[in-house]
Amino acid sequence: MDPQMKRGFVEACVLASVCGGESYGYEIIRNVPQALGLTESTLYPVLKRLERAGQVSVRSSEHNGRLRKYYLATEAGREALERFRAERAEVRAVYDYIETAITTDGTGKQS
């Protein structure tokens, strides 16, 4: 997947993974689509950005003797995810245009 296209999807998928309940880094990485190639070095800056934007809340708790951070989407995060979802028709229109251009001569006529 194109890196620039991937970036927008990464934030939306990270938000979606913490929308239904708390989650932690490794679990988030496991839950998002593999096509995104999400790694820890990508995930934690995204989580920090979402936290600064007020879209996720963070709490720390001990787990097996180690401190683990748990993330949860806030109301602002759920609203951002809803806006992302609302853009689906626009994204689909772009893909439809590209498919049409590939299969026609650009005028709508089969090439």
Side-chain angles (χ1 to χ4, degrees):
M1 182 181 287
D2 178 72
Q4 286 190 294
M5 182 183 290
K6 187 188 297 188
R7 184 176 177 171
F9 284 116
V10 165
E11 285 199 9
C13 287
V14 168
L15 265 177
S17 72
V18 297
C19 224
E22 286 186 324
S23 192
Y24 56 94
Y26 178 71
E27 188 175 54
I28 294 168
I29 290 170
R30 275 195 352 233
N31 289 338
V32 302
Q34 286 185 327
L36 293 176
L38 188 61
T39 64
E40 288 182 14
S41 62
T42 304
L43 174 63
Y44 290 107
V46 169
L47 287 168
K48 271 290 191 209
R49 221 174 14 255
L50 293 172
E51 182 183 4
R52 280 193 306 269
Q55 295 179 351
V56 297
S57 62
V58 182
R59 75 171 180 90
S60 296
S61 181
E62 189 175 318
H63 177 78
N64 292 334
R66 296 186 63 199
L67 207 55
R68 178 184 278 176
K69 287 186 176 184
Y70 292 88
Y71 301 88
L72 180 65
T74 63
E75 185 61 33
R78 286 187 290 280
E79 289 170 3
L81 199 53
E82 188 57 41
R83 286 190 303 274
F84 181 86
R85 194 172 77 141
E87 294 172 351
R88 183 178 182 168
E90 293 174 18
V91 172
R92 180 167 280 145
V94 171
Y95 273 100
D96 290 347
Y97 167 78
I98 292 168
E99 283 187 36
T100 300
I102 290 170
T103 59
T104 66
D105 63 5
T107 63
K109 298 176 187 170
Q110 291 290 330
S111 50

